[in-house]
Amino acid sequence: MKDINIALAKGRVAKAAMELLINCGCTFKDYSKDSRKLIFHDEKNNIKVTLVKSPDVPVYVEKGAADAGIVGKDILMEDKFDVYELVNLNIGKCDMCIAGFASKMPDYSKKITVATKYPHITKEYFNKRGVLTDIIKLNGSVELAPIIGLSDVIVDIVESGKTLEENGLVVFEKIMPISARLITNKVSLKTKFDAIQWIIDTLESLVEKED
Ligand code: PRP
């Protein structure tokens, strides 16, 4: 009996992560991709999965409410968390990008207004480039900001590019690639070492390795 609790970032990461866990031999009998249920239990292995908002995954793990978590690198870079980041799972792949209207290329010699869910990543990136910014923190639908004149550009994750395209925006620049990571609570890694090591080894064996 492994007895671990894994928090997954709801949405795209959770769908891919559930597939990985099922391929690891876990069985979640009530799970379907469209289910709105938030807790699933693999009774055979005693693995509990909870689906939480992505920024909450490292909070659950840091506080010990979950022993492990699967969450995008974007979330781990935006804030500091006292957790171990152990495996790049190569799922939930996307890019952190600067985007806006093709006809309104930003002039980096002047102060620009940037809307984003990631104010720290954004500030750090533009500071390093010596670009002055006003940063507006939004919690979603960031693509609206240039459309309604709230910002010059956005910094956001782009996966298929569909959201940008359907809102008439283009990528100006890729800042960095993003993918989901396995993180663990520091105490759980010691107290539940065998169970967590099993998850690490099994996930690692399934993960597509980058060339
Ligand atoms: C993310 C991101 C973009 C979109 C990109 O938003 O903030 O809006 O996905 O995906 P695409 O390139 O495949 O279109 P999410 O769906 O998480 O919703 P949110 O805007 O409410 O945060």
Side-chain angles (χ1 to χ4, degrees), residues 8-183:
L8 305 185
K10 268 205 282 195
R12 282 169 275 212
V13 166
K15 282 181 189 166
M18 283 301 262
E19 253 174 58
L20 269 186
L21 291 172
I22 288 165
N23 290 336
C24 287
C26 297
T27 310
F28 302 103
K29 65 175 187 312
D30 302 329
Y31 176 71
S32 80
K33 278 185 182 162
D34 302 319
S35 167
R36 303 288 291 169
K37 209 166 148 28
L38 299 173
I39 302 180
F40 300 94
H41 196 185
D42 171 9
E43 283 164 18
K44 188 172 126 237
N45 293 303
N46 203 9
I47 292 176
K48 193 162 86 180
V49 164
T50 46
L51 305 189
V52 304
K53 278 283 219 186
S54 47
D56 294 339
V57 171
V59 178
Y60 274 58
V61 174
E62 184 181 81
K63 301 290 177 204
D67 301 303
I70 296 180
V71 66
K73 181 73 177 170
D74 50 327
I75 300 297
L76 300 173
M77 290 186 71
E78 178 60 19
D79 287 303
K80 301 272 169 280
F81 299 97
D82 193 18
V83 297
Y84 292 127
E85 183 186 321
L86 297 176
V87 186
N88 178 356
L89 298 170
N90 277 331
I91 56 171
K93 289 206 229 177
C94 51
D95 291 296
M96 183 72 67
C97 294
I98 304 171
F101 284 112
S103 58
K104 291 186 185 164
M105 281 287 285
D107 177 358
Y108 291 145
S109 67
K110 296 186 183 137
K111 193 179 208 181
I112 57 162
T113 308
V114 189
T116 185
K117 289 186 266 190
Y118 306 96
H120 296 130
I121 292 173
T122 301
K123 189 91 209 155
E124 195 183 334
Y125 180 77
F126 282 113
N127 277 355
K128 272 191 191 149
R129 292 188 51 176
V131 177
L132 293 174
T133 52
D134 263 337
I135 295 181
I136 299 171
K137 162 91 191 321
L138 294 176
N139 292 303
S141 303
V142 177
E143 292 82 0
L144 280 173
I147 297 170
I148 59 170
L150 189 62
S151 73
D152 299 312
V153 295
I154 62 172
V155 166
D156 199 9
I157 52 169
V158 177
E159 189 186 24
S160 63
K162 213 164 170 249
T163 313
L164 287 182
E165 193 188 328
E166 291 189 5
N167 290 288
L169 306 175
V170 297
V171 171
F172 290 133
E173 207 176 311
K174 288 182 182 174
I175 295 181
M176 64 188 145
I178 303 289
S179 55
R181 310 297 160 113
L182 177 72
I183 59 173

